Amino acid sequence: MRWTIRTQLPVAYEIIETPGLLDPANPELLRLPGGATGRQSRLVVLDHSIDDLYGGRIREYFDANDAPVTYLSMPGDEESKSIGNVLDVVTKLNEVGTNRLSSPPIVIGGGVLADVVGLAASLYRRGIPYIRVPTTLLGQVDVSVAAKTGVNFGGYRNRLGSYSPPPRTLIDREFLATVPHRQIRNGMGEIFKMALIKDLRLFELLEEYGAELVEARFQETAVVRPPTGIADEVIGRAIAGMAEELQPNLWEKDLRRSVDYGHSFSPLVEMRALPELLHGEAVAMDCVFSAVLAAQRGLIGAGDLERITAAALRLGLAPSHPLFCDTELLTEALADTVRHRDGKQNLPVLTRIGAVTFLNDLTGAEITAAAGYMGRLLDPSSRPAAAAVTG
Ligand SMILES: NC(=O)c1ccc[n+]([C@@H]2O[C@H](COP(=O)([O-])OP(=O)(O)OC[C@H]3O[C@@H](n4cnc5c(N)ncnc54)[C@H](O)[C@@H]3O)[C@@H](O)[C@H]2O)c1
Ligand SMILES: [Zn+2]
């Protein structure tokens, strides 16, 4: 005998820009998936920094709306992306008496907390909905669109996780006003990637206004700021690009993913460098490294490579790091990425600024040559123009 069960899971989730999210008159934070407002007891998980900076306003918001909520404050740094913290969230969900559908927890914080709470929600009663409020740039342009949750385990990034998008993600650019500049640059790393793989206009915006956007933390009230509308356009294009790439391949059945650009060598570098390098910083370096690989093959010209390196510098991102000169480590990083891509390199590389192709025949010699170029980039006097692609 044999039984086959076939079913389909329709998935829809929203990313909603909502300025003034913490204004008690703004109902978005109270809404349940589907749009209704509930009165059930709910857990609100706050990033430590968010609790410090916005805790008062958040409590006022829920008080003013008579919403029965319980708060849990958690650290939002990469070392806290652990299964232990997932279990702490689960414990709290129990205490609050979370319902299966009608009292989704709310997570307000950076990408780390979103991943931790998302994983907890996906495990709790085998999966409950949750609401995500990303408060960092990386969170708003990248995590916001993602279906994935996860924690680090055994020395590897995101080794445990799930695909469970929250039905609602709420974005308010105002949160960025308090994000440290380094964290803004970190988010810029992902926007840089998005520009490189599919959006020349976005790349040009970064070339022209990237430095001001970082300086102003995307706020139009800042002293040094880009022209009105640029912050929204950059965030909007980054989110739209991400959504367009993810939608047809949400479950990653196709392991040739252009959004993996900048994520082939960086995961291991990032883990080995912890806590020195942030995710977006490592991603930006991988974007440059992968551009070097493309230039070595003649897929892009030396001029494009220089432009890419110069744009990274203009965003305040270092284009290289000693670990990106370590051939052994880079080879090991690619080997793990190949396992992640189920035995294939599927290595996204640029064919121009704004388009990618995939390689499956990258050699050790190419890695060694590119690592040499990354070494020369470490010397400010030899970048970006003077570091020759070969030799
Ligand atoms: N699920 C996905 O598909 C996906 C996609 C991209 C990244 N990620 C994950 O996201 C994580 C990185 O996220 P991140 O860059 O947001 O880092 P983060 O969550 O570590 O936050 C960075 C720091 O900023 C603080 N912070 C958060 N919001 C703030 C605010 N408004 N003002 C001041 N400080 C604030 C946090 O407390 C933390 O110290 C990584 O673990 C990465 O793996 C997940
Ligand atoms: Zn990333």
Side-chain angles (χ1 to χ4, degrees), residues 47 49-50 53 76 78 81 110-112 115 135-136 142 146 148 157 175 178-179 183 186:
D47 191 298
S49 311
I50 291 300
L53 294 160
E78 193 67 33
K81 219 173 126 167
V112 164
D115 275 1
T135 57
T136 59
D142 188 334
K148 294 189 275 193
R157 294 193 71 235
F175 281 115
T178 51
V179 172
Q183 292 290 346
N186 180 40

mmCIF file with all atom_site columns, all heavy atoms in Angstrom, residues 47 49-50 53 76 78 81 110-112 115 135-136 142 146 148 157 175 178-179 183 186, ligand 1:
data_model
loop_
_atom_site.group_PDB
_atom_site.id
_atom_site.type_symbol
_atom_site.label_atom_id
_atom_site.label_alt_id
_atom_site.label_comp_id
_atom_site.label_asym_id
_atom_site.label_entity_id
_atom_site.label_seq_id
_atom_site.pdbx_PDB_ins_code
_atom_site.Cartn_x
_atom_site.Cartn_y
_atom_site.Cartn_z
_atom_site.occupancy
_atom_site.B_iso_or_equiv
_atom_site.pdbx_formal_charge
_atom_site.auth_seq_id
_atom_site.auth_comp_id
_atom_site.auth_asym_id
_atom_site.auth_atom_id
_atom_site.pdbx_PDB_model_num
ATOM   1   N N   . ASP A 1 47  ? 14.055 44.724 21.292 1.00 0.00 ? 47  ASP A N   1
ATOM   2   C CA  . ASP A 1 47  ? 15.513 44.776 21.267 1.00 0.00 ? 47  ASP A CA  1
ATOM   3   C C   . ASP A 1 47  ? 15.950 45.679 22.442 1.00 0.00 ? 47  ASP A C   1
ATOM   4   O O   . ASP A 1 47  ? 15.302 46.697 22.711 1.00 0.00 ? 47  ASP A O   1
ATOM   5   C CB  . ASP A 1 47  ? 15.874 45.428 19.926 1.00 0.00 ? 47  ASP A CB  1
ATOM   6   C CG  . ASP A 1 47  ? 17.324 45.346 19.572 1.00 0.00 ? 47  ASP A CG  1
ATOM   7   O OD1 . ASP A 1 47  ? 18.155 45.893 20.322 1.00 0.00 ? 47  ASP A OD1 1
ATOM   8   O OD2 . ASP A 1 47  ? 17.613 44.780 18.517 1.00 0.00 ? 47  ASP A OD2 1
ATOM   9   N N   . SER A 1 49  ? 18.219 47.856 22.699 1.00 0.00 ? 49  SER A N   1
ATOM   10  C CA  . SER A 1 49  ? 18.408 49.254 22.289 1.00 0.00 ? 49  SER A CA  1
ATOM   11  C C   . SER A 1 49  ? 17.063 49.937 22.080 1.00 0.00 ? 49  SER A C   1
ATOM   12  O O   . SER A 1 49  ? 16.898 51.119 22.409 1.00 0.00 ? 49  SER A O   1
ATOM   13  C CB  . SER A 1 49  ? 19.189 49.341 20.976 1.00 0.00 ? 49  SER A CB  1
ATOM   14  O OG  . SER A 1 49  ? 20.331 48.557 21.044 1.00 0.00 ? 49  SER A OG  1
ATOM   15  N N   . ILE A 1 50  ? 16.124 49.198 21.520 1.00 0.00 ? 50  ILE A N   1
ATOM   16  C CA  . ILE A 1 50  ? 14.796 49.778 21.269 1.00 0.00 ? 50  ILE A CA  1
ATOM   17  C C   . ILE A 1 50  ? 14.104 50.060 22.595 1.00 0.00 ? 50  ILE A C   1
ATOM   18  O O   . ILE A 1 50  ? 13.459 51.098 22.770 1.00 0.00 ? 50  ILE A O   1
ATOM   19  C CB  . ILE A 1 50  ? 13.964 48.812 20.386 1.00 0.00 ? 50  ILE A CB  1
ATOM   20  C CG1 . ILE A 1 50  ? 14.562 48.772 18.978 1.00 0.00 ? 50  ILE A CG1 1
ATOM   21  C CG2 . ILE A 1 50  ? 12.499 49.201 20.340 1.00 0.00 ? 50  ILE A CG2 1
ATOM   22  C CD1 . ILE A 1 50  ? 14.597 50.115 18.265 1.00 0.00 ? 50  ILE A CD1 1
ATOM   23  N N   . LEU A 1 53  ? 15.660 53.224 23.965 1.00 0.00 ? 53  LEU A N   1
ATOM   24  C CA  . LEU A 1 53  ? 15.402 54.466 23.222 1.00 0.00 ? 53  LEU A CA  1
ATOM   25  C C   . LEU A 1 53  ? 13.922 54.769 23.013 1.00 0.00 ? 53  LEU A C   1
ATOM   26  O O   . LEU A 1 53  ? 13.524 55.928 22.939 1.00 0.00 ? 53  LEU A O   1
ATOM   27  C CB  . LEU A 1 53  ? 16.082 54.380 21.843 1.00 0.00 ? 53  LEU A CB  1
ATOM   28  C CG  . LEU A 1 53  ? 17.613 54.335 21.853 1.00 0.00 ? 53  LEU A CG  1
ATOM   29  C CD1 . LEU A 1 53  ? 18.144 53.772 20.536 1.00 0.00 ? 53  LEU A CD1 1
ATOM   30  C CD2 . LEU A 1 53  ? 18.155 55.744 22.081 1.00 0.00 ? 53  LEU A CD2 1
ATOM   31  N N   . GLY A 1 76  ? 20.285 42.386 21.025 1.00 0.00 ? 76  GLY A N   1
ATOM   32  C CA  . GLY A 1 76  ? 20.140 42.216 19.579 1.00 0.00 ? 76  GLY A CA  1
ATOM   33  C C   . GLY A 1 76  ? 21.463 42.068 18.846 1.00 0.00 ? 76  GLY A C   1
ATOM   34  O O   . GLY A 1 76  ? 21.535 42.362 17.667 1.00 0.00 ? 76  GLY A O   1
ATOM   35  N N   . GLU A 1 78  ? 24.820 39.853 17.380 1.00 0.00 ? 78  GLU A N   1
ATOM   36  C CA  . GLU A 1 78  ? 24.946 38.572 16.673 1.00 0.00 ? 78  GLU A CA  1
ATOM   37  C C   . GLU A 1 78  ? 25.204 37.393 17.635 1.00 0.00 ? 78  GLU A C   1
ATOM   38  O O   . GLU A 1 78  ? 24.695 36.293 17.422 1.00 0.00 ? 78  GLU A O   1
ATOM   39  C CB  . GLU A 1 78  ? 26.059 38.684 15.619 1.00 0.00 ? 78  GLU A CB  1
ATOM   40  C CG  . GLU A 1 78  ? 26.121 37.578 14.599 1.00 0.00 ? 78  GLU A CG  1
ATOM   41  C CD  . GLU A 1 78  ? 24.927 37.509 13.631 1.00 0.00 ? 78  GLU A CD  1
ATOM   42  O OE1 . GLU A 1 78  ? 24.355 38.553 13.275 1.00 0.00 ? 78  GLU A OE1 1
ATOM   43  O OE2 . GLU A 1 78  ? 24.579 36.377 13.253 1.00 0.00 ? 78  GLU A OE2 1
ATOM   44  N N   . LYS A 1 81  ? 22.215 35.540 18.846 1.00 0.00 ? 81  LYS A N   1
ATOM   45  C CA  . LYS A 1 81  ? 21.361 34.812 17.911 1.00 0.00 ? 81  LYS A CA  1
ATOM   46  C C   . LYS A 1 81  ? 21.514 33.320 18.186 1.00 0.00 ? 81  LYS A C   1
ATOM   47  O O   . LYS A 1 81  ? 22.110 32.570 17.421 1.00 0.00 ? 81  LYS A O   1
ATOM   48  C CB  . LYS A 1 81  ? 21.800 35.156 16.478 1.00 0.00 ? 81  LYS A CB  1
ATOM   49  C CG  . LYS A 1 81  ? 20.641 35.315 15.554 1.00 0.00 ? 81  LYS A CG  1
ATOM   50  C CD  . LYS A 1 81  ? 21.074 35.819 14.223 1.00 0.00 ? 81  LYS A CD  1
ATOM   51  C CE  . LYS A 1 81  ? 20.582 34.903 13.154 1.00 0.00 ? 81  LYS A CE  1
ATOM   52  N NZ  . LYS A 1 81  ? 20.709 35.478 11.823 1.00 0.00 ? 81  LYS A NZ  1
ATOM   53  N N   . GLY A 1 110 ? 16.241 44.800 15.562 1.00 0.00 ? 110 GLY A N   1
ATOM   54  C CA  . GLY A 1 110 ? 17.071 44.551 14.396 1.00 0.00 ? 110 GLY A CA  1
ATOM   55  C C   . GLY A 1 110 ? 16.864 43.143 13.844 1.00 0.00 ? 110 GLY A C   1
ATOM   56  O O   . GLY A 1 110 ? 15.989 42.393 14.298 1.00 0.00 ? 110 GLY A O   1
ATOM   57  N N   . GLY A 1 111 ? 17.691 42.805 12.872 1.00 0.00 ? 111 GLY A N   1
ATOM   58  C CA  . GLY A 1 111 ? 17.568 41.520 12.200 1.00 0.00 ? 111 GLY A CA  1
ATOM   59  C C   . GLY A 1 111 ? 17.803 40.334 13.116 1.00 0.00 ? 111 GLY A C   1
ATOM   60  O O   . GLY A 1 111 ? 17.178 39.275 12.949 1.00 0.00 ? 111 GLY A O   1
ATOM   61  N N   . VAL A 1 112 ? 18.673 40.503 14.088 1.00 0.00 ? 112 VAL A N   1
ATOM   62  C CA  . VAL A 1 112 ? 18.956 39.397 15.004 1.00 0.00 ? 112 VAL A CA  1
ATOM   63  C C   . VAL A 1 112 ? 17.690 39.018 15.757 1.00 0.00 ? 112 VAL A C   1
ATOM   64  O O   . VAL A 1 112 ? 17.276 37.848 15.788 1.00 0.00 ? 112 VAL A O   1
ATOM   65  C CB  . VAL A 1 112 ? 20.081 39.792 16.000 1.00 0.00 ? 112 VAL A CB  1
ATOM   66  C CG1 . VAL A 1 112 ? 20.114 38.843 17.186 1.00 0.00 ? 112 VAL A CG1 1
ATOM   67  C CG2 . VAL A 1 112 ? 21.431 39.809 15.288 1.00 0.00 ? 112 VAL A CG2 1
ATOM   68  N N   . ASP A 1 115 ? 15.036 37.396 13.650 1.00 0.00 ? 115 ASP A N   1
ATOM   69  C CA  . ASP A 1 115 ? 15.334 35.986 13.349 1.00 0.00 ? 115 ASP A CA  1
ATOM   70  C C   . ASP A 1 115 ? 15.065 35.086 14.555 1.00 0.00 ? 115 ASP A C   1
ATOM   71  O O   . ASP A 1 115 ? 14.562 33.967 14.415 1.00 0.00 ? 115 ASP A O   1
ATOM   72  C CB  . ASP A 1 115 ? 16.797 35.846 12.909 1.00 0.00 ? 115 ASP A CB  1
ATOM   73  C CG  . ASP A 1 115 ? 16.979 36.122 11.414 1.00 0.00 ? 115 ASP A CG  1
ATOM   74  O OD1 . ASP A 1 115 ? 15.988 36.441 10.741 1.00 0.00 ? 115 ASP A OD1 1
ATOM   75  O OD2 . ASP A 1 115 ? 18.119 35.997 10.926 1.00 0.00 ? 115 ASP A OD2 1
ATOM   76  N N   . THR A 1 135 ? 13.955 47.645 12.872 1.00 0.00 ? 135 THR A N   1
ATOM   77  C CA  . THR A 1 135 ? 14.334 48.992 13.310 1.00 0.00 ? 135 THR A CA  1
ATOM   78  C C   . THR A 1 135 ? 15.735 49.398 12.874 1.00 0.00 ? 135 THR A C   1
ATOM   79  O O   . THR A 1 135 ? 16.209 50.468 13.237 1.00 0.00 ? 135 THR A O   1
ATOM   80  C CB  . THR A 1 135 ? 14.251 49.083 14.840 1.00 0.00 ? 135 THR A CB  1
ATOM   81  O OG1 . THR A 1 135 ? 15.113 48.065 15.383 1.00 0.00 ? 135 THR A OG1 1
ATOM   82  C CG2 . THR A 1 135 ? 12.836 48.892 15.342 1.00 0.00 ? 135 THR A CG2 1
ATOM   83  N N   . THR A 1 136 ? 16.421 48.531 12.150 1.00 0.00 ? 136 THR A N   1
ATOM   84  C CA  . THR A 1 136 ? 17.730 48.899 11.589 1.00 0.00 ? 136 THR A CA  1
ATOM   85  C C   . THR A 1 136 ? 17.560 49.028 10.077 1.00 0.00 ? 136 THR A C   1
ATOM   86  O O   . THR A 1 136 ? 16.565 48.556 9.511  1.00 0.00 ? 136 THR A O   1
ATOM   87  C CB  . THR A 1 136 ? 18.781 47.809 11.862 1.00 0.00 ? 136 THR A CB  1
ATOM   88  O OG1 . THR A 1 136 ? 18.311 46.587 11.273 1.00 0.00 ? 136 THR A OG1 1
ATOM   89  C CG2 . THR A 1 136 ? 19.015 47.618 13.350 1.00 0.00 ? 136 THR A CG2 1
ATOM   90  N N   . ASP A 1 142 ? 16.073 44.384 4.060  1.00 0.00 ? 142 ASP A N   1
ATOM   91  C CA  . ASP A 1 142 ? 16.464 43.019 3.718  1.00 0.00 ? 142 ASP A CA  1
ATOM   92  C C   . ASP A 1 142 ? 15.655 42.013 4.527  1.00 0.00 ? 142 ASP A C   1
ATOM   93  O O   . ASP A 1 142 ? 14.852 41.247 3.971  1.00 0.00 ? 142 ASP A O   1
ATOM   94  C CB  . ASP A 1 142 ? 17.977 42.880 3.986  1.00 0.00 ? 142 ASP A CB  1
ATOM   95  C CG  . ASP A 1 142 ? 18.543 41.569 3.499  1.00 0.00 ? 142 ASP A CG  1
ATOM   96  O OD1 . ASP A 1 142 ? 17.775 40.604 3.419  1.00 0.00 ? 142 ASP A OD1 1
ATOM   97  O OD2 . ASP A 1 142 ? 19.740 41.488 3.206  1.00 0.00 ? 142 ASP A OD2 1
ATOM   98  N N   . ALA A 1 146 ? 12.300 39.059 3.892  1.00 0.00 ? 146 ALA A N   1
ATOM   99  C CA  . ALA A 1 146 ? 12.695 37.653 4.009  1.00 0.00 ? 146 ALA A CA  1
ATOM   100 C C   . ALA A 1 146 ? 11.607 36.775 4.614  1.00 0.00 ? 146 ALA A C   1
ATOM   101 O O   . ALA A 1 146 ? 10.831 37.214 5.452  1.00 0.00 ? 146 ALA A O   1
ATOM   102 C CB  . ALA A 1 146 ? 13.952 37.556 4.863  1.00 0.00 ? 146 ALA A CB  1
ATOM   103 N N   . LYS A 1 148 ? 12.695 33.964 5.931  1.00 0.00 ? 148 LYS A N   1
ATOM   104 C CA  . LYS A 1 148 ? 13.493 33.057 6.757  1.00 0.00 ? 148 LYS A CA  1
ATOM   105 C C   . LYS A 1 148 ? 13.665 33.548 8.194  1.00 0.00 ? 148 LYS A C   1
ATOM   106 O O   . LYS A 1 148 ? 13.670 34.738 8.453  1.00 0.00 ? 148 LYS A O   1
ATOM   107 C CB  . LYS A 1 148 ? 14.888 32.917 6.148  1.00 0.00 ? 148 LYS A CB  1
ATOM   108 C CG  . LYS A 1 148 ? 14.873 32.227 4.815  1.00 0.00 ? 148 LYS A CG  1
ATOM   109 C CD  . LYS A 1 148 ? 16.272 31.895 4.342  1.00 0.00 ? 148 LYS A CD  1
ATOM   110 C CE  . LYS A 1 148 ? 16.937 33.037 3.637  1.00 0.00 ? 148 LYS A CE  1
ATOM   111 N NZ  . LYS A 1 148 ? 18.158 32.632 2.924  1.00 0.00 ? 148 LYS A NZ  1
ATOM   112 N N   . ARG A 1 157 ? 26.698 30.360 10.706 1.00 0.00 ? 157 ARG A N   1
ATOM   113 C CA  . ARG A 1 157 ? 25.588 31.307 10.701 1.00 0.00 ? 157 ARG A CA  1
ATOM   114 C C   . ARG A 1 157 ? 24.303 30.608 10.294 1.00 0.00 ? 157 ARG A C   1
ATOM   115 O O   . ARG A 1 157 ? 24.297 29.778 9.375  1.00 0.00 ? 157 ARG A O   1
ATOM   116 C CB  . ARG A 1 157 ? 25.850 32.435 9.685  1.00 0.00 ? 157 ARG A CB  1
ATOM   117 C CG  . ARG A 1 157 ? 27.011 33.317 10.049 1.00 0.00 ? 157 ARG A CG  1
ATOM   118 C CD  . ARG A 1 157 ? 27.022 34.574 9.207  1.00 0.00 ? 157 ARG A CD  1
ATOM   119 N NE  . ARG A 1 157 ? 25.937 35.432 9.612  1.00 0.00 ? 157 ARG A NE  1
ATOM   120 C CZ  . ARG A 1 157 ? 25.003 35.916 8.800  1.00 0.00 ? 157 ARG A CZ  1
ATOM   121 N NH1 . ARG A 1 157 ? 25.027 35.620 7.521  1.00 0.00 ? 157 ARG A NH1 1
ATOM   122 N NH2 . ARG A 1 157 ? 24.058 36.690 9.245  1.00 0.00 ? 157 ARG A NH2 1
ATOM   123 N N   . PHE A 1 175 ? 12.799 55.133 12.901 1.00 0.00 ? 175 PHE A N   1
ATOM   124 C CA  . PHE A 1 175 ? 13.646 54.350 13.812 1.00 0.00 ? 175 PHE A CA  1
ATOM   125 C C   . PHE A 1 175 ? 15.129 54.500 13.467 1.00 0.00 ? 175 PHE A C   1
ATOM   126 O O   . PHE A 1 175 ? 15.997 54.371 14.323 1.00 0.00 ? 175 PHE A O   1
ATOM   127 C CB  . PHE A 1 175 ? 13.290 52.857 13.756 1.00 0.00 ? 175 PHE A CB  1
ATOM   128 C CG  . PHE A 1 175 ? 12.065 52.476 14.544 1.00 0.00 ? 175 PHE A CG  1
ATOM   129 C CD1 . PHE A 1 175 ? 10.924 52.003 13.911 1.00 0.00 ? 175 PHE A CD1 1
ATOM   130 C CD2 . PHE A 1 175 ? 12.059 52.568 15.935 1.00 0.00 ? 175 PHE A CD2 1
ATOM   131 C CE1 . PHE A 1 175 ? 9.795  51.641 14.636 1.00 0.00 ? 175 PHE A CE1 1
ATOM   132 C CE2 . PHE A 1 175 ? 10.939 52.203 16.671 1.00 0.00 ? 175 PHE A CE2 1
ATOM   133 C CZ  . PHE A 1 175 ? 9.801  51.740 16.018 1.00 0.00 ? 175 PHE A CZ  1
ATOM   134 N N   . THR A 1 178 ? 18.142 56.793 15.223 1.00 0.00 ? 178 THR A N   1
ATOM   135 C CA  . THR A 1 178 ? 18.988 56.482 16.385 1.00 0.00 ? 178 THR A CA  1
ATOM   136 C C   . THR A 1 178 ? 19.967 55.344 16.103 1.00 0.00 ? 178 THR A C   1
ATOM   137 O O   . THR A 1 178 ? 20.720 54.933 16.989 1.00 0.00 ? 178 THR A O   1
ATOM   138 C CB  . THR A 1 178 ? 18.102 56.081 17.584 1.00 0.00 ? 178 THR A CB  1
ATOM   139 O OG1 . THR A 1 178 ? 17.192 55.056 17.152 1.00 0.00 ? 178 THR A OG1 1
ATOM   140 C CG2 . THR A 1 178 ? 17.305 57.265 18.108 1.00 0.00 ? 178 THR A CG2 1
ATOM   141 N N   . VAL A 1 179 ? 19.920 54.812 14.904 1.00 0.00 ? 179 VAL A N   1
ATOM   142 C CA  . VAL A 1 179 ? 20.810 53.692 14.586 1.00 0.00 ? 179 VAL A CA  1
ATOM   143 C C   . VAL A 1 179 ? 22.244 54.232 14.423 1.00 0.00 ? 179 VAL A C   1
ATOM   144 O O   . VAL A 1 179 ? 22.450 55.214 13.711 1.00 0.00 ? 179 VAL A O   1
ATOM   145 C CB  . VAL A 1 179 ? 20.336 52.980 13.291 1.00 0.00 ? 179 VAL A CB  1
ATOM   146 C CG1 . VAL A 1 179 ? 21.346 51.950 12.829 1.00 0.00 ? 179 VAL A CG1 1
ATOM   147 C CG2 . VAL A 1 179 ? 18.971 52.331 13.521 1.00 0.00 ? 179 VAL A CG2 1
ATOM   148 N N   . GLN A 1 183 ? 26.034 50.901 11.924 1.00 0.00 ? 183 GLN A N   1
ATOM   149 C CA  . GLN A 1 183 ? 24.928 49.993 11.594 1.00 0.00 ? 183 GLN A CA  1
ATOM   150 C C   . GLN A 1 183 ? 24.194 50.451 10.329 1.00 0.00 ? 183 GLN A C   1
ATOM   151 O O   . GLN A 1 183 ? 23.655 49.637 9.589  1.00 0.00 ? 183 GLN A O   1
ATOM   152 C CB  . GLN A 1 183 ? 23.947 49.893 12.770 1.00 0.00 ? 183 GLN A CB  1
ATOM   153 C CG  . GLN A 1 183 ? 24.503 49.205 14.003 1.00 0.00 ? 183 GLN A CG  1
ATOM   154 C CD  . GLN A 1 183 ? 24.712 47.716 13.787 1.00 0.00 ? 183 GLN A CD  1
ATOM   155 O OE1 . GLN A 1 183 ? 24.219 47.129 12.821 1.00 0.00 ? 183 GLN A OE1 1
ATOM   156 N NE2 . GLN A 1 183 ? 25.458 47.101 14.684 1.00 0.00 ? 183 GLN A NE2 1
ATOM   157 N N   . ASN A 1 186 ? 26.244 49.184 7.629  1.00 0.00 ? 186 ASN A N   1
ATOM   158 C CA  . ASN A 1 186 ? 25.985 47.751 7.568  1.00 0.00 ? 186 ASN A CA  1
ATOM   159 C C   . ASN A 1 186 ? 24.784 47.450 6.657  1.00 0.00 ? 186 ASN A C   1
ATOM   160 O O   . ASN A 1 186 ? 24.842 46.591 5.779  1.00 0.00 ? 186 ASN A O   1
ATOM   161 C CB  . ASN A 1 186 ? 25.732 47.269 9.007  1.00 0.00 ? 186 ASN A CB  1
ATOM   162 C CG  . ASN A 1 186 ? 25.435 45.801 9.117  1.00 0.00 ? 186 ASN A CG  1
ATOM   163 O OD1 . ASN A 1 186 ? 26.044 44.992 8.429  1.00 0.00 ? 186 ASN A OD1 1
ATOM   164 N ND2 . ASN A 1 186 ? 24.503 45.442 9.975  1.00 0.00 ? 186 ASN A ND2 1
HETATM 165 N N1  . LIG B 2 .   ? 15.909 36.374 7.901  1.00 0.00 ? 1   LIG B N1  1
HETATM 166 C C1  . LIG B 2 .   ? 16.645 36.745 6.904  1.00 0.00 ? 1   LIG B C1  1
HETATM 167 O O1  . LIG B 2 .   ? 16.447 36.317 5.761  1.00 0.00 ? 1   LIG B O1  1
HETATM 168 C C2  . LIG B 2 .   ? 17.756 37.704 7.141  1.00 0.00 ? 1   LIG B C2  1
HETATM 169 C C3  . LIG B 2 .   ? 18.162 38.529 6.099  1.00 0.00 ? 1   LIG B C3  1
HETATM 170 C C4  . LIG B 2 .   ? 19.214 39.408 6.355  1.00 0.00 ? 1   LIG B C4  1
HETATM 171 C C5  . LIG B 2 .   ? 19.817 39.433 7.597  1.00 0.00 ? 1   LIG B C5  1
HETATM 172 N N2  . LIG B 2 .   ? 19.371 38.616 8.566  1.00 0.00 ? 1   LIG B N2  1
HETATM 173 C C6  . LIG B 2 .   ? 20.027 38.616 9.878  1.00 0.00 ? 1   LIG B C6  1
HETATM 174 O O2  . LIG B 2 .   ? 19.930 39.908 10.458 1.00 0.00 ? 1   LIG B O2  1
HETATM 175 C C7  . LIG B 2 .   ? 21.001 40.059 11.374 1.00 0.00 ? 1   LIG B C7  1
HETATM 176 C C8  . LIG B 2 .   ? 21.561 41.440 11.261 1.00 0.00 ? 1   LIG B C8  1
HETATM 177 O O3  . LIG B 2 .   ? 20.547 42.367 11.546 1.00 0.00 ? 1   LIG B O3  1
HETATM 178 P P1  . LIG B 2 .   ? 20.888 43.875 11.943 1.00 0.00 ? 1   LIG B P1  1
HETATM 179 O O4  . LIG B 2 .   ? 21.901 44.382 11.022 1.00 0.00 ? 1   LIG B O4  1
HETATM 180 O O5  . LIG B 2 .   ? 19.603 44.541 12.066 1.00 0.00 ? 1   LIG B O5  1
HETATM 181 O O6  . LIG B 2 .   ? 21.663 43.727 13.317 1.00 0.00 ? 1   LIG B O6  1
HETATM 182 P P2  . LIG B 2 .   ? 21.177 43.632 14.834 1.00 0.00 ? 1   LIG B P2  1
HETATM 183 O O7  . LIG B 2 .   ? 19.844 43.026 14.933 1.00 0.00 ? 1   LIG B O7  1
HETATM 184 O O8  . LIG B 2 .   ? 22.305 42.968 15.547 1.00 0.00 ? 1   LIG B O8  1
HETATM 185 O O9  . LIG B 2 .   ? 21.089 45.142 15.298 1.00 0.00 ? 1   LIG B O9  1
HETATM 186 C C9  . LIG B 2 .   ? 22.240 45.908 15.322 1.00 0.00 ? 1   LIG B C9  1
HETATM 187 C C10 . LIG B 2 .   ? 22.356 46.726 16.595 1.00 0.00 ? 1   LIG B C10 1
HETATM 188 O O10 . LIG B 2 .   ? 21.497 47.841 16.495 1.00 0.00 ? 1   LIG B O10 1
HETATM 189 C C11 . LIG B 2 .   ? 20.685 47.945 17.648 1.00 0.00 ? 1   LIG B C11 1
HETATM 190 N N3  . LIG B 2 .   ? 19.450 48.597 17.197 1.00 0.00 ? 1   LIG B N3  1
HETATM 191 C C12 . LIG B 2 .   ? 18.402 48.064 16.561 1.00 0.00 ? 1   LIG B C12 1
HETATM 192 N N4  . LIG B 2 .   ? 17.528 49.020 16.196 1.00 0.00 ? 1   LIG B N4  1
HETATM 193 C C13 . LIG B 2 .   ? 18.025 50.193 16.634 1.00 0.00 ? 1   LIG B C13 1
HETATM 194 C C14 . LIG B 2 .   ? 17.586 51.549 16.564 1.00 0.00 ? 1   LIG B C14 1
HETATM 195 N N5  . LIG B 2 .   ? 16.464 51.894 15.910 1.00 0.00 ? 1   LIG B N5  1
HETATM 196 N N6  . LIG B 2 .   ? 18.348 52.518 17.142 1.00 0.00 ? 1   LIG B N6  1
HETATM 197 C C15 . LIG B 2 .   ? 19.513 52.184 17.754 1.00 0.00 ? 1   LIG B C15 1
HETATM 198 N N7  . LIG B 2 .   ? 19.992 50.935 17.829 1.00 0.00 ? 1   LIG B N7  1
HETATM 199 C C16 . LIG B 2 .   ? 19.255 49.941 17.276 1.00 0.00 ? 1   LIG B C16 1
HETATM 200 C C17 . LIG B 2 .   ? 20.582 46.526 18.146 1.00 0.00 ? 1   LIG B C17 1
HETATM 201 O O11 . LIG B 2 .   ? 20.306 46.479 19.526 1.00 0.00 ? 1   LIG B O11 1
HETATM 202 C C18 . LIG B 2 .   ? 21.966 45.997 17.851 1.00 0.00 ? 1   LIG B C18 1
HETATM 203 O O12 . LIG B 2 .   ? 22.854 46.338 18.878 1.00 0.00 ? 1   LIG B O12 1
HETATM 204 C C19 . LIG B 2 .   ? 21.993 38.968 11.072 1.00 0.00 ? 1   LIG B C19 1
HETATM 205 O O13 . LIG B 2 .   ? 21.958 38.025 12.105 1.00 0.00 ? 1   LIG B O13 1
HETATM 206 C C20 . LIG B 2 .   ? 21.468 38.353 9.781  1.00 0.00 ? 1   LIG B C20 1
HETATM 207 O O14 . LIG B 2 .   ? 21.737 36.975 9.680  1.00 0.00 ? 1   LIG B O14 1
HETATM 208 C C21 . LIG B 2 .   ? 18.356 37.766 8.368  1.00 0.00 ? 1   LIG B C21 1
#
